[in-house]
Amino acid sequence: MACSQYEYVKKFETYQTLLPNTYIVVRIDGKGFTKFTANHNFEKPNDKRGLDLMNKAAESVMETFNEIMLAYGQSDEFSFVFKKDAELYQRRTEKIVSCVVSCFTAAYAMHFSDYFNIKPSFLPMFDARAVCYPDFKNLRDYLNWRQVDCHINNLYNTCFWTMVQKGNMTPQKAQEILKDTLSDRKNEILFNDYGINYAKLEPQFRKGSTLIRVLVLKDKHANKEAEQAESQQKREKCEENQGLNKEGALQQQNEEGEEQKENAEELLKEESDSVMTKGEKKYIAGQKKQKKLNSKQLEKIEKSKYRSKIITLSDDIIQNEFWDKYKDSLKLQE
Amino acid sequence: MACSQYEYVKKFETYQTLLPNTYIVVRIDGKGFTKFTANHNFEKPNDKRGLDLMNKAAESVMETFNEIMLAYGQSDEFSFVFKKDAELYQRRTEKIVSCVVSCFTAAYAMHFSDYFNIKPSFLPMFDARAVCYPDFKNLRDYLNWRQVDCHINNLYNTCFWTMVQKGNMTPQKAQEILKDTLSDRKNEILFNDYGINYAKLEPQFRKGSTLIRVLVLKDKHANKEAEQAESQQKREKCEENQGLNKEGALQQQNEEGEEQKENAEELLKEESDSVMTKGEKKYIAGQKKQKKLNSKQLEKIEKSKYRSKIITLSDDIIQNEFWDKYKDSLKLQE
Amino acid sequence: MACSQYEYVKKFETYQTLLPNTYIVVRIDGKGFTKFTANHNFEKPNDKRGLDLMNKAAESVMETFNEIMLAYGQSDEFSFVFKKDAELYQRRTEKIVSCVVSCFTAAYAMHFSDYFNIKPSFLPMFDARAVCYPDFKNLRDYLNWRQVDCHINNLYNTCFWTMVQKGNMTPQKAQEILKDTLSDRKNEILFNDYGINYAKLEPQFRKGSTLIRVLVLKDKHANKEAEQAESQQKREKCEENQGLNKEGALQQQNEEGEEQKENAEELLKEESDSVMTKGEKKYIAGQKKQKKLNSKQLEKIEKSKYRSKIITLSDDIIQNEFWDKYKDSLKLQE
Amino acid sequence: MACSQYEYVKKFETYQTLLPNTYIVVRIDGKGFTKFTANHNFEKPNDKRGLDLMNKAAESVMETFNEIMLAYGQSDEFSFVFKKDAELYQRRTEKIVSCVVSCFTAAYAMHFSDYFNIKPSFLPMFDARAVCYPDFKNLRDYLNWRQVDCHINNLYNTCFWTMVQKGNMTPQKAQEILKDTLSDRKNEILFNDYGINYAKLEPQFRKGSTLIRVLVLKDKHANKEAEQAESQQKREKCEENQGLNKEGALQQQNEEGEEQKENAEELLKEESDSVMTKGEKKYIAGQKKQKKLNSKQLEKIEKSKYRSKIITLSDDIIQNEFWDKYKDSLKLQE
């Protein structure tokens, strides 16, 4: 049977491509998640299981698409940043958008029961879009926009649900009180009325999650894992203290915070030395050496000692500190 | 914290829309399914569980998006046809594509274990694209293209795997023999060497699956289900005999087939009368009556007696018969 | 010199195409024409020289792009309708848009002095866009939209400028009086205060200009031209009387008009018979004959007797009459 | 008459926008210029009148669109570079493309007779496209691509037409000899067989034309013009000697050239001092001063002494020299 008489319909397919030499950001966003979270009794204002499941799904996406350099997630959304020279599907918009969202959804659906101990009672669904950002400043501003959004929403939701859950207010009453308040006021309400220091709440809730790839030494793999788990715990404890306690303060640490931050930095430094940066330092040193020897073979040998690993952080990504720290891992092509 | 300094990044988002008054076809397609099917030991050349799972996922998509009038699937692909006046997400390309593929993937992932009794060992993933077809002829030709593709691939694969599985040939040997053969020759090989009448194989394998919505009477719901299940079985038996045994024969039935087809048609007629078309006939009769009375209220009452139901068929959708039969159900707006 | 190191920049070029099997409408629109017309002392509310120049430029476009089936212009805009199966530049949007507007602009600039006896004192400039319409109804509605727009604007402008020029009103005063009036009222003002029967004004002003291609006999070329010029004049005279004298009346002829229309139709019939339709009738008859003879050669001979000619009309294109009359010329592919 | 029933057709219009924060390049290109130039007896291989007319039209475009920072033209094409933060028509692709090409065409058509002393015998027509380049390197590489193209084509054409016109060869013979020759060989043919030093030919032919905006002092306007004209002539004479006489040599000056280049640079320096750079230096000095005074008013006064002027150069734009020299004029936003 001649297929040819029908094949003309292929001419109706067109495809758009994403401008080369720009950062591609694919943002996925939960569809109908108000209903989905209500239906599955997600805790309010944040359900750690739900957020960890989002992170797990994001990790699956990063494992699948190795040109993603960073992912940032909060609430029911996740942004995946492809490096500027990504060539995935010849940068075809629909291909990239559909595959990323399909991968994320599959992971979310399949791992749901690992986090909630039940099968989901209806289908989780996400939309997705792709946006290009021409330079690093644009990309940073995009991520800032999302992290500020996380902060604003989380502070509001924390107040709202505290007032409802602990203050026994009606949702209407809580909404009315919070209407048009600045974040200073929200922090005050939390602290004065409920004894909650917002800045000390879980960083994951306040700052969202950032996933990046780092290099770790292969041979020390097993005990590194343990080491990392430990230092991760330490870090999380410390990071609690580095948090923001005022809106507008993401760029400004309070004094107490500063102090705690120093402790945190020591620990982080330690952690970096033992877990990631040691590897990276060696790698970089190796690279310099290689340049002298001008030997691809040497590089291969050196590289083979390391493996890429995706880590999940709750850092402030608005400040330069994060970007300086992970500069090499992100292989930034400013 | 002023979000406004970062919000300019929203201006980088653009969106494409799909031309109004055209049929939107969203086709999803398995990514890496060669590996996925091998890994999960799908039967060759067709795994009924796998195809039924595809149909189940497609049904979920149709339940979610009520502007889809028809879905056609074969192998690891599915095409969803939105009616011409669909308004979903203001016809924004990325929104439609991402939500459809996300919904399909979620359903596929979640129902996998219902069909395979295991959890999938890695993530099922699909890409998706949207294409517009301006008129009904273009749409029919698109669907013809996919069903012809199904026929060609399935005949080849049936031969190939029969030669390998029953003929104990090496894949290379089978490939060599089949190379450049016409479908007549493939039918001969199957019939002469292995006693297989291709036209009598499972219609689902030979023709793919078509999902449409029909109206069924509400009050007779329970026993209709049973009735339908029965008549469906009858039909499937019969349809085996209507199949093609020659390439080029999708439009041409062999004599034996013709005879059997008549039987099939009787049964189908019977089935139609009892299962769907009775409802539809009444509905149509009702509609005519309504026109006379020119009463919206009456229409509502009449409509409330019926409910929409998605059915899965293995029909030849190239011929006019299918389209004539389901004309009213498809509410074709030619 | 190796060009190759720079050629990668070609990858940044993308192109959009216009959906196949749809009518492509390219609409050009004057940029800064308020200033341009003021600067060159265009007559108000309509400058026949200016409109004829627009028509001349549109004719040049139709001569250049033979897939344009119809052009409709009014004020400083012109819409070019490409037939559904047009293949111009593989239907690439930017190519089509830029070439059409460039051709139109070149013709407008070069012929300006033929109509105004001076060189333009600054550059005429037009923008352009391409829109796809999937079916004939959409196309008709698009053209209706433009012709209704012409009617509404022209009735308003005629009132306004009459009040200013003949009534010696200030523009502010005139604007104030006309504000929120319906067209009935505008017709009354013109008739009662200034003795002007709007329906008898120049059809070109009231209805815009429509350009189509017709077939004319080659051998009778010379005298046909004369004949046509004459009958064109007759027709224009008559059409004055067919015009609208009420807003809302484009679909409704007044009685007097009806009578005159009959005369007009006789003349038109005559004209058709002698100028176009005779040719077309013969051509069609010839075509039928050819089908019997099944001879491409005969068709060629027959065709060679005719030549395509672009004619400019001031018809009502909202009603079916126009479309019925020129059905064959437009080779409508509904 | 209700327009509303037709206005739904507006929904079929969509528009694409060009990514913010990227350089927009609109390239126009002659359509059918082989025929157009033949028909109007353009001189071969280069017609200075034709190229000057292209430059004149490009200047009109730059005068019309003040966000164009640079234009580069050669043969029958011209590229217009909009600065990164251009906001023209909200960066809508079709609007920008159509208006630029319309403006260019109008200027070309209207000024044709100024350069050729006749009216064009048929319509000049150009197509246009818009491309985005995210960073300065991409933009430079784009322009390099065009200037290398100019060089390659012009060297070939110069050889070809010299062989035909002075060597009395048939076009076929000339083509055959030139086939697959490197540029060294082409330079040799010109020099050995025809006594032509390619590097000394008109820079406009070898390097194309670059238009930029510079600031000039208002009060010295009249005599500046004269001064510039003079120094321009001097420069052109000198630049002949800086040219390339080898393919691959756009980056490499021969020794003789170097010497002459030094002279040229002295003259250029002189010219810069007297014509542009003096103004710019003062302007920059003024700017620095202003910053100290932090006074917008002072800036205004200072600025009012200068006016922007479009100048046409035949520079090598591949090397950094050009970009360093005009850095301030181009207000580069790397």
Side-chain angles (χ1 to χ4, degrees):
Chain A
M1 179 180 327
C3 205
S4 55
Q5 65 173 309
Y6 303 130
E7 277 187 346
Y8 79 91
V9 297
K10 282 198 280 187
K11 285 194 305 183
F12 290 71
E13 289 189 23
T14 55
Y15 55 89
Q16 229 195 336
T17 55
L18 297 159
L19 191 67
N21 196 25
T22 58
Y23 296 101
I24 300 170
V25 174
V26 177
R27 183 169 75 247
I28 65 98
D29 200 21
K31 290 295 295 179
F33 258 56
T34 307
K35 199 180 150 199
F36 187 85
T37 54
N39 196 282
H40 295 93
N41 301 313
F42 277 47
E43 285 163 27
K44 294 290 181 185
N46 288 288
D47 188 307
K48 189 162 167 48
R49 298 164 305 173
L51 294 173
D52 287 347
L53 172 56
M54 288 292 285
N55 289 352
K56 176 71 188 170
E59 198 182 328
S60 296
V61 171
M62 283 187 77
E63 276 162 3
T64 308
F65 302 102
N66 60 22
E67 291 176 317
I68 295 174
M69 56 182 249
L70 179 148
Y72 174 76
Q74 53 124 330
S75 181
D76 62 348
E77 72 167 53
F78 239 101
S79 298
F80 298 95
V81 182
F82 288 79
K83 55 204 185 84
K84 270 182 148 177
D85 56 0
E87 292 290 355
L88 183 65
Y89 308 132
Q90 294 86 53
R91 299 177 79 93
R92 289 169 58 172
T93 312
E94 283 175 276
K95 274 270 193 189
I96 291 173
V97 161
S98 59
C99 289
V100 167
V101 80
S102 179
C103 183
F104 189 93
T105 309
Y108 192 95
M110 279 173 50
H111 294 295
F112 186 89
S113 55
D114 302 342
Y115 291 81
F116 288 89
N117 294 319
I118 47 158
K119 274 191 84 169
S121 55
F122 61 95
L123 299 178
M125 202 166 95
F126 299 87
D127 71 15
R129 75 199 65 203
V131 191
C132 291
Y133 290 106
D135 65 25
F136 188 58
K137 186 189 175 303
N138 296 147
L139 176 65
R140 288 280 300 272
D141 286 344
Y142 170 80
L143 293 167
N144 294 350
W145 176 49
R146 300 323 304 146
Q147 192 166 53
V148 168
D149 186 80
C150 171
H151 175 69
I152 290 171
N153 291 333
N154 191 63
L155 179 56
Y156 180 92
N157 292 337
T158 303
C159 279
F160 178 86
W161 287 105
T162 303
M163 287 154 89
V164 169
Q165 290 165 351
K166 301 200 178 160
N168 290 319
M169 287 185 196
T170 62
Q172 291 72 27
K173 179 74 184 166
Q175 204 178 343
E176 200 181 293
I177 290 170
L178 288 173
K179 205 187 154 201
D180 301 327
T181 53
L182 298 180
S183 47
D184 267 7
R185 180 75 196 113
K186 293 195 193 79
N187 277 297
E188 274 169 34
I189 291 172
L190 284 174
F191 196 77
N192 297 339
D193 299 358
Y194 302 96
I196 293 168
N197 182 348
Y198 182 74
K200 297 206 175 183
L201 298 179
E202 192 84 35
Q204 184 182 15
F205 298 166
R206 290 182 291 110
K207 296 178 183 169
S209 298
T210 305
L211 281 72
I212 59 169
R213 294 174 209 279
V214 292
L215 287 176
V216 291
L217 271 176
K218 275 183 186 169
D219 49 351
K220 295 191 177 171
H221 179 196
N223 54 319
K224 280 291 164 215
E225 289 281 338
E227 235 180 288
Q228 183 167 38
E230 190 190 2
S231 64
Q232 182 78 16
Q233 278 180 336
K234 275 187 215 165
R235 184 163 54 125
E236 273 163 20
K237 267 225 131 60
C238 294
E239 278 192 342
E240 281 173 28
N241 305 319
Q242 306 171 53
L244 307 173
N245 65 348
K246 290 195 185 175
E247 195 166 346
L250 267 173
Q251 274 100 347
Q252 219 185 358
Q253 302 293 341
N254 62 4
E255 282 175 45
E256 188 194 33
E258 276 304 312
E259 204 176 335
Q260 287 166 327
K261 198 180 147 201
E262 276 163 38
N263 294 337
E265 273 173 349
E266 255 174 74
L267 281 166
L268 278 164
K269 195 163 167 293
E270 200 184 309
E271 180 211 1
S272 301
D273 280 5
S274 62
V275 182
M276 302 161 298
T277 321
K278 197 182 282 175
E280 279 180 59
K281 277 181 189 166
K282 271 197 177 178
Y283 177 63
I284 292 154
Q287 280 192 316
K288 281 183 190 158
K289 203 174 152 191
Q290 283 155 37
K291 271 178 197 157
K292 278 184 196 162
L293 293 168
N294 204 13
S295 152
K296 291 228 166 183
Q297 225 163 353
L298 232 164
E299 195 178 345
K300 257 191 182 169
I301 294 163
E302 192 62 30
K303 267 192 174 171
S304 68
K305 294 181 190 162
Y306 300 92
R307 60 183 190 85
S308 180
K309 183 179 156 64
I310 296 162
I311 58 166
T312 302
L313 308 165
S314 301
D315 286 26
D316 177 342
I317 58 173
I318 297 177
Q319 305 220 46
N320 291 329
E321 203 188 333
F322 168 82
W323 299 94
D324 289 340
K325 185 174 170 193
Y326 296 107
K327 201 176 174 176
D328 299 311
S329 302
L330 294 167
K331 293 185 197 70
L332 291 172
Q333 311 146 309
E334 281 185 72
Chain B
M1 179 180 326
C3 206
S4 54
Q5 65 172 310
Y6 304 130
E7 277 185 345
Y8 80 92
V9 297
K10 281 199 280 189
K11 287 195 303 183
F12 290 71
E13 289 190 23
T14 55
Y15 55 89
Q16 231 194 336
T17 56
L18 296 159
L19 192 67
N21 196 25
T22 59
Y23 296 102
I24 300 170
V25 175
V26 176
R27 183 170 75 247
I28 65 97
D29 199 22
K31 289 296 295 178
F33 258 55
T34 306
K35 199 181 151 199
F36 187 86
T37 53
N39 196 281
H40 295 94
N41 301 313
F42 277 46
E43 283 164 28
K44 294 291 181 184
N46 289 288
D47 188 305
K48 189 161 167 47
R49 300 165 302 172
L51 294 173
D52 287 347
L53 172 56
M54 290 291 286
N55 290 352
K56 176 70 187 169
E59 199 182 327
S60 295
V61 171
M62 282 186 78
E63 277 162 3
T64 306
F65 303 101
N66 60 22
E67 292 177 316
I68 296 173
M69 57 182 249
L70 179 148
Y72 174 76
Q74 55 123 332
S75 182
D76 62 349
E77 72 168 51
F78 239 100
S79 299
F80 298 94
V81 182
F82 288 79
K83 56 205 186 83
K84 270 182 149 179
D85 57 1
E87 292 289 355
L88 183 64
Y89 308 133
Q90 293 87 52
R91 298 175 80 93
R92 288 168 58 172
T93 313
E94 283 175 274
K95 273 271 193 190
I96 292 173
V97 162
S98 59
C99 288
V100 167
V101 80
S102 179
C103 183
F104 189 93
T105 308
Y108 193 95
M110 278 174 50
H111 293 296
F112 187 89
S113 56
D114 302 341
Y115 292 82
F116 287 90
N117 293 321
I118 46 159
K119 276 191 81 168
S121 53
F122 60 95
L123 299 178
M125 201 166 96
F126 299 87
D127 71 15
R129 75 199 66 201
V131 191
C132 290
Y133 289 105
D135 66 25
F136 188 58
K137 186 188 176 300
N138 296 147
L139 176 64
R140 288 280 301 271
D141 286 344
Y142 170 79
L143 293 167
N144 294 351
W145 176 49
R146 300 324 304 146
Q147 193 167 54
V148 168
D149 185 81
C150 171
H151 174 68
I152 290 171
N153 290 333
N154 191 63
L155 178 56
Y156 181 93
N157 291 336
T158 302
C159 279
F160 177 85
W161 287 104
T162 303
M163 288 156 88
V164 169
Q165 290 164 352
K166 301 200 177 159
N168 290 319
M169 287 186 196
T170 63
Q172 290 73 26
K173 179 75 183 165
Q175 201 178 344
E176 201 181 293
I177 290 169
L178 289 172
K179 207 186 151 200
D180 300 327
T181 54
L182 298 179
S183 49
D184 267 8
R185 180 73 198 113
K186 294 195 191 78
N187 276 297
E188 274 170 33
I189 291 171
L190 283 174
F191 195 77
N192 297 341
D193 300 357
Y194 304 97
I196 294 168
N197 183 347
Y198 182 73
K200 298 206 175 182
L201 298 179
E202 192 82 37
Q204 183 182 16
F205 299 165
R206 289 182 292 109
K207 294 178 183 171
S209 298
T210 305
L211 281 71
I212 58 168
R213 291 174 212 280
V214 292
L215 287 176
V216 290
L217 271 174
K218 275 181 184 169
D219 50 352
K220 296 196 176 169
H221 180 196
N223 55 319
K224 279 291 163 215
E225 289 282 337
E227 237 180 283
Q228 182 168 38
E230 190 192 1
S231 65
Q232 182 77 20
Q233 278 179 338
K234 278 189 213 161
R235 182 164 55 126
E236 272 164 19
K237 270 224 127 62
C238 294
E239 280 193 338
E240 282 174 26
N241 305 320
Q242 305 171 54
L244 306 173
N245 64 350
K246 290 193 184 176
E247 193 166 348
L250 266 174
Q251 274 100 345
Q252 219 186 359
Q253 303 291 342
N254 63 3
E255 281 175 46
E256 188 192 33
E258 275 307 311
E259 204 175 335
Q260 288 165 326
K261 199 181 149 199
E262 276 162 38
N263 295 336
E265 274 172 349
E266 256 174 74
L267 281 166
L268 277 165
K269 199 165 164 290
E270 197 182 312
E271 179 211 1
S272 299
D273 280 5
S274 61
V275 181
M276 300 159 299
T277 319
K278 197 183 282 176
E280 280 178 59
K281 276 180 189 167
K282 272 198 176 178
Y283 176 64
I284 292 155
Q287 279 191 316
K288 281 181 189 158
K289 206 174 153 192
Q290 285 155 36
K291 271 177 197 160
K292 278 183 195 159
L293 294 168
N294 204 13
S295 151
K296 290 229 163 180
Q297 228 166 350
L298 232 162
E299 194 177 344
K300 257 189 183 169
I301 293 162
E302 191 62 32
K303 266 191 173 171
S304 68
K305 295 182 191 159
Y306 300 91
R307 59 181 190 85
S308 179
K309 186 179 151 67
I310 296 162
I311 58 166
T312 301
L313 308 165
S314 301
D315 286 26
D316 178 343
I317 58 172
I318 297 176
Q319 304 221 46
N320 291 329
E321 202 187 334
F322 168 82
W323 300 93
D324 290 341
K325 185 175 171 195
Y326 297 107
K327 201 177 174 175
D328 299 309
S329 303
L330 294 168
K331 294 184 196 68
L332 290 173
Q333 314 146 306
E334 275 185 74
Chain C
M1 182 180 324
C3 207
S4 54
Q5 65 172 308
Y6 304 129
E7 277 185 347
Y8 80 90
V9 296
K10 282 198 280 189
K11 286 194 304 182
F12 289 71
E13 289 190 24
T14 55
Y15 55 88
Q16 229 195 336
T17 55
L18 297 159
L19 192 67
N21 196 26
T22 58
Y23 296 103
I24 301 170
V25 174
V26 177
R27 183 170 75 247
I28 65 98
D29 199 22
K31 291 295 295 179
F33 257 56
T34 306
K35 198 180 151 199
F36 187 84
T37 54
N39 196 281
H40 296 94
N41 301 311
F42 276 47
E43 285 164 27
K44 294 289 180 185
N46 288 289
D47 188 307
K48 188 161 168 49
R49 298 164 305 172
L51 293 173
D52 287 348
L53 171 56
M54 290 291 287
N55 289 352
K56 175 70 188 170
E59 198 183 328
S60 295
V61 171
M62 283 186 76
E63 277 162 3
T64 307
F65 303 101
N66 59 23
E67 291 176 316
I68 296 173
M69 58 181 248
L70 179 147
Y72 173 75
Q74 54 122 333
S75 182
D76 62 349
E77 72 167 52
F78 239 101
S79 297
F80 298 94
V81 182
F82 287 79
K83 55 206 186 82
K84 270 181 149 179
D85 57 0
E87 291 289 357
L88 182 65
Y89 307 133
Q90 291 88 53
R91 299 175 80 92
R92 288 169 58 172
T93 312
E94 284 176 273
K95 274 270 192 189
I96 291 173
V97 161
S98 59
C99 288
V100 167
V101 80
S102 179
C103 183
F104 190 92
T105 308
Y108 193 95
M110 278 174 50
H111 293 295
F112 187 88
S113 56
D114 303 342
Y115 291 82
F116 286 90
N117 294 320
I118 46 160
K119 278 191 80 168
S121 55
F122 62 94
L123 300 177
M125 204 166 95
F126 300 86
D127 70 16
R129 76 199 65 204
V131 192
C132 291
Y133 289 106
D135 66 25
F136 189 57
K137 185 187 177 303
N138 296 147
L139 177 64
R140 288 280 301 272
D141 286 343
Y142 170 79
L143 292 167
N144 294 350
W145 176 48
R146 300 324 303 146
Q147 193 167 54
V148 168
D149 184 82
C150 171
H151 175 69
I152 289 171
N153 289 333
N154 191 61
L155 179 56
Y156 181 91
N157 291 336
T158 303
C159 280
F160 178 85
W161 287 105
T162 303
M163 288 156 89
V164 169
Q165 289 164 353
K166 300 199 178 159
N168 290 319
M169 286 185 195
T170 61
Q172 291 73 26
K173 180 75 184 165
Q175 204 178 341
E176 201 181 291
I177 290 170
L178 290 172
K179 207 187 151 198
D180 300 328
T181 55
L182 299 178
S183 49
D184 269 6
R185 180 75 197 114
K186 293 194 193 81
N187 277 296
E188 273 170 34
I189 291 172
L190 283 175
F191 195 76
N192 297 341
D193 300 357
Y194 303 97
I196 293 168
N197 183 347
Y198 181 74
K200 298 206 173 183
L201 298 179
E202 193 81 36
Q204 184 182 16
F205 299 164
R206 290 182 292 109
K207 295 178 183 169
S209 298
T210 305
L211 281 72
I212 57 168
R213 293 172 210 280
V214 293
L215 287 176
V216 291
L217 272 174
K218 272 184 187 168
D219 50 350
K220 295 194 178 171
H221 179 197
N223 54 319
K224 281 291 165 213
E225 289 280 339
E227 234 179 287
Q228 182 167 36
E230 192 191 359
S231 63
Q232 182 78 17
Q233 276 178 339
K234 276 188 216 163
R235 184 164 54 125
E236 273 164 19
K237 269 223 130 61
C238 294
E239 280 193 338
E240 282 172 28
N241 305 320
Q242 306 171 54
L244 307 173
N245 64 350
K246 290 194 185 175
E247 194 165 347
L250 268 174
Q251 275 100 346
Q252 216 184 3
Q253 303 293 339
N254 63 4
E255 283 176 44
E256 189 193 32
E258 275 305 312
E259 203 177 334
Q260 288 165 326
K261 199 181 147 199
E262 276 163 37
N263 294 337
E265 272 172 349
E266 255 175 74
L267 281 166
L268 278 165
K269 198 164 166 290
E270 199 184 310
E271 181 210 358
S272 301
D273 281 7
S274 62
V275 182
M276 301 159 299
T277 320
K278 197 183 282 176
E280 280 179 57
K281 279 181 187 166
K282 273 198 173 178
Y283 175 65
I284 292 154
Q287 281 191 315
K288 283 181 188 159
K289 206 174 150 192
Q290 285 155 39
K291 272 177 196 158
K292 281 185 193 159
L293 293 168
N294 204 12
S295 150
K296 290 229 166 180
Q297 228 164 352
L298 232 164
E299 194 178 344
K300 257 191 183 169
I301 292 163
E302 193 61 32
K303 266 192 175 170
S304 69
K305 293 182 191 161
Y306 300 92
R307 60 184 189 85
S308 179
K309 185 178 152 66
I310 296 161
I311 59 166
T312 302
L313 308 165
S314 301
D315 286 25
D316 177 342
I317 58 173
I318 296 176
Q319 304 221 47
N320 291 329
E321 203 189 334
F322 167 83
W323 299 94
D324 289 342
K325 186 175 171 194
Y326 296 107
K327 201 176 174 177
D328 299 311
S329 302
L330 294 168
K331 293 182 195 70
L332 291 172
Q333 312 146 307
E334 277 182 73
Chain D
M1 178 181 326
C3 207
S4 54
Q5 66 173 308
Y6 304 130
E7 275 185 346
Y8 80 91
V9 297
K10 281 199 280 189
K11 286 194 304 182
F12 290 71
E13 290 189 23
T14 56
Y15 54 90
Q16 228 195 338
T17 55
L18 296 159
L19 191 68
N21 195 25
T22 59
Y23 296 102
I24 302 170
V25 175
V26 177
R27 183 169 75 247
I28 65 98
D29 199 21
K31 290 296 295 181
F33 258 56
T34 307
K35 198 180 151 199
F36 187 85
T37 54
N39 195 282
H40 295 94
N41 300 313
F42 277 47
E43 285 163 28
K44 293 290 181 183
N46 288 289
D47 188 306
K48 187 161 170 48
R49 299 165 304 174
L51 293 173
D52 287 347
L53 172 55
M54 289 290 287
N55 289 351
K56 175 70 188 170
E59 199 182 326
S60 296
V61 172
M62 283 186 77
E63 277 161 3
T64 306
F65 302 101
N66 60 22
E67 292 176 317
I68 296 173
M69 56 182 250
L70 179 149
Y72 174 76
Q74 55 120 332
S75 183
D76 61 350
E77 72 167 52
F78 238 101
S79 297
F80 298 94
V81 181
F82 287 79
K83 55 206 187 80
K84 271 182 148 178
D85 57 1
E87 291 289 356
L88 184 65
Y89 308 133
Q90 292 87 54
R91 300 177 78 94
R92 288 168 58 173
T93 313
E94 283 176 275
K95 274 271 191 188
I96 291 174
V97 161
S98 59
C99 288
V100 167
V101 80
S102 179
C103 183
F104 190 93
T105 309
Y108 193 95
M110 278 173 50
H111 293 295
F112 187 88
S113 55
D114 303 342
Y115 292 82
F116 287 91
N117 294 319
I118 47 160
K119 277 191 80 168
S121 54
F122 62 94
L123 300 177
M125 203 166 96
F126 299 86
D127 70 16
R129 77 198 65 202
V131 192
C132 290
Y133 290 105
D135 66 24
F136 188 57
K137 187 189 174 302
N138 297 148
L139 176 64
R140 287 280 301 272
D141 286 344
Y142 170 79
L143 292 167
N144 294 350
W145 177 47
R146 299 326 302 146
Q147 191 167 55
V148 168
D149 185 80
C150 171
H151 174 69
I152 291 170
N153 290 333
N154 190 62
L155 179 56
Y156 181 92
N157 291 336
T158 302
C159 279
F160 177 84
W161 287 105
T162 301
M163 287 156 89
V164 168
Q165 290 165 351
K166 300 199 177 160
N168 291 317
M169 287 185 194
T170 62
Q172 292 71 28
K173 180 74 184 169
Q175 203 179 343
E176 199 181 295
I177 290 169
L178 289 173
K179 206 186 151 198
D180 300 327
T181 53
L182 299 179
S183 49
D184 267 7
R185 180 75 197 112
K186 293 194 193 79
N187 276 298
E188 273 170 34
I189 291 172
L190 283 174
F191 196 76
N192 296 341
D193 299 357
Y194 302 98
I196 293 167
N197 182 346
Y198 181 74
K200 298 205 175 182
L201 298 179
E202 194 82 36
Q204 184 182 15
F205 298 166
R206 289 181 293 110
K207 294 177 183 171
S209 298
T210 304
L211 280 72
I212 58 168
R213 292 174 211 278
V214 293
L215 287 176
V216 291
L217 272 174
K218 274 182 186 170
D219 50 350
K220 296 193 178 172
H221 178 199
N223 54 319
K224 280 292 164 215
E225 290 281 338
E227 237 180 286
Q228 183 168 38
E230 192 190 1
S231 66
Q232 182 77 19
Q233 277 180 336
K234 275 188 215 163
R235 185 165 53 128
E236 273 164 20
K237 270 226 127 62
C238 294
E239 280 193 340
E240 281 174 28
N241 305 319
Q242 305 171 52
L244 308 172
N245 65 349
K246 289 193 185 175
E247 196 166 344
L250 267 175
Q251 275 100 344
Q252 217 186 3
Q253 303 293 340
N254 62 3
E255 284 177 43
E256 189 194 33
E258 274 306 312
E259 204 178 335
Q260 288 165 328
K261 199 182 149 200
E262 278 165 36
N263 295 336
E265 273 172 348
E266 257 175 72
L267 283 166
L268 279 165
K269 196 163 168 293
E270 199 185 311
E271 181 210 359
S272 299
D273 281 5
S274 61
V275 182
M276 301 160 298
T277 320
K278 198 183 281 176
E280 279 179 60
K281 277 179 186 167
K282 272 197 176 179
Y283 177 65
I284 292 154
Q287 281 192 317
K288 282 180 188 161
K289 207 174 152 191
Q290 284 155 38
K291 272 177 196 159
K292 280 183 194 163
L293 294 167
N294 204 13
S295 152
K296 289 229 165 180
Q297 227 165 351
L298 232 164
E299 196 178 344
K300 257 191 183 170
I301 293 163
E302 192 62 29
K303 265 191 174 171
S304 68
K305 293 181 190 163
Y306 301 91
R307 60 184 189 83
S308 181
K309 186 182 151 63
I310 295 162
I311 59 167
T312 302
L313 308 166
S314 300
D315 287 25
D316 177 342
I317 57 172
I318 297 176
Q319 305 222 44
N320 290 329
E321 202 189 334
F322 167 83
W323 299 94
D324 290 341
K325 186 174 169 193
Y326 296 108
K327 199 175 176 177
D328 299 310
S329 303
L330 294 167
K331 293 183 197 68
L332 291 171
Q333 311 147 306
E334 279 184 71

